Amino acid sequence: DGYFYQRVTECRFSSKDLQGIEFIDSYVFNQAEHVRFNSTVGKYVGYTEHGVYNAEAWNSDAGILAQERGELERFCKQHAPIAYSA
């Protein structure tokens, strides 16, 4: 009973080249992803009615987009050496 909410952030590494890193920030509600930020796309994409609403609102806020776009550099590229050494 109840609701399930999850936020998943991940770095996807396609090669050892730092240009091949992708940052994904997904929002999941009741096991269905409803909105996602993808650094390759550079904006939020909604997959449900509520997700589309949130994506439009978040994409119109330059501060939110700048913060998400910065995560690729701040989080993914900083931790790439650790991922590659594992």
Side-chain angles (χ1 to χ4, degrees):
D1 289 29
Y3 298 99
F4 175 78
Y5 173 78
Q6 181 179 15
R7 181 176 177 192
V8 180
T9 57
E10 62 182 310
C11 301
R12 294 186 181 168
F13 302 92
S14 59
S15 70
K16 288 193 175 190
D17 179 10
L18 292 181
Q19 299 305 315
I21 299 175
E22 183 178 44
F23 174 72
I24 307 291
D25 189 4
S26 299
Y27 295 79
V28 178
F29 183 72
N30 283 349
Q31 300 181 0
E33 183 177 29
H34 66 95
V35 68
R36 172 191 289 186
F37 176 84
N38 182 320
S39 63
T40 303
V41 177
K43 65 179 185 175
Y44 288 94
V45 176
Y47 299 107
T48 64
E49 182 179 348
H50 184 66
V52 169
Y53 174 82
N54 283 336
E56 289 173 357
W58 297 342
N59 287 332
S60 68
D61 187 324
I64 291 174
L65 279 180
Q67 181 177 352
E68 284 284 36
R69 289 175 179 154
E71 291 300 299
L72 179 67
E73 295 291 327
R74 187 194 70 78
F75 183 72
C76 294
K77 291 186 178 179
Q78 289 287 328
H79 293 91
I82 296 167
Y84 291 140
S85 68

